[in-house]
Amino acid sequence: MTEHEKLLAGLHYNTRDPELLGMYHNARAVTKQLAQLDSHDFETKLTLLREMLGGFGDESWIELPLWCDYGKHVTIGRNCFINTNVVFLDCNTVTIGDNTLVGPNVQFYTPVHPLSAKERLTGDPDYPFLTSAKPIVVGSNVWIGGNVVILPGVTIADNTTIGAGSIVSKDIPAGVLAMGQPCKVVRELE
């Protein structure tokens, strides 16, 4: 398997792999171009986002700046609004459904490292840390408030609202209001 295939399979992979570094540098170049655009130049913005991301639905909008590790693993549905300073640590896939709102400073973290430094550190300068990654899935018609952190492997189901400042460490079911640190269901929504 290539390191990229290992990454997507949730296995330990070498973050210093040349293919992955190439994807990383491409994302840096595109985000730099995006940061320098005039806000009126929507067509160039759309072209660059579609070049960098794995999918970017019609009528969706991302406020700049944004950060991604690779970009290609992020898929955003149609009619979504992603507010400023979003962070996609997309070492595995981040999938966002249609009609979803993402507040400012929301962070999507897919990477996982062993908790023990003894296990995490390899001692190899060409492969210094054990890293794997788990996908994140956000359904359709979801609203994620500002400053939310979504941890590896989490699924947030359709029609759910996540309160601002939450840390989402476990799956959240459909049609609920959830919030807190850690994020928990508060009540059902109609």
Side-chain angles (χ1 to χ4, degrees), residues 17-173:
D17 175 69
E19 178 187 10
L20 296 177
L21 287 174
M23 292 169 60
Y24 168 86
H25 290 302
N26 180 67
R28 296 292 65 67
V30 174
T31 55
K32 182 178 180 181
Q33 288 177 284
L34 285 164
Q36 295 171 348
L37 281 180
D38 183 281
S39 62
H40 291 96
D41 193 354
F42 181 71
E43 289 306 316
T44 302
K45 178 182 177 182
L46 185 59
T47 298
L48 289 170
L49 287 169
R50 289 200 166 134
E51 172 189 319
M52 180 177 65
L53 300 177
F56 189 68
D58 292 338
E59 300 159 18
S60 286
W61 185 274
I62 294 181
E63 284 292 326
L64 301 174
L66 80 147
W67 171 272
C68 344
D69 274 342
Y70 304 112
K72 291 291 183 193
H73 303 135
V74 177
T75 301
I76 296 169
R78 64 176 298 282
N79 195 41
C80 292
F81 182 83
I82 313 292
N83 216 321
T84 189
N85 292 319
V86 67
V87 173
F88 294 111
L89 297 189
D90 61 318
C91 301
N92 204 311
T93 57
V94 176
T95 306
I96 298 174
D98 298 334
N99 307 307
T100 290
L101 302 172
V102 175
N105 305 307
V106 171
Q107 301 170 52
F108 297 83
Y109 297 163
T110 66
V112 179
H113 306 284
L115 296 178
S116 165
K118 182 178 177 183
E119 294 175 27
R120 183 173 53 250
L121 302 172
T122 67
D124 180 347
D126 295 324
Y127 188 176
F129 307 101
L130 284 184
T131 303
S132 62
K134 297 178 182 177
I136 292 172
V137 177
V138 176
S140 293
N141 313 314
V142 171
W143 176 21
I144 299 172
N147 295 306
V148 169
V149 175
I150 303 169
L151 297 179
V154 165
T155 295
I156 299 170
D158 295 346
N159 305 309
T160 284
T161 297
I162 305 295
S166 295
I167 298 176
V168 188
S169 59
K170 295 186 178 177
D171 291 352
I172 304 294

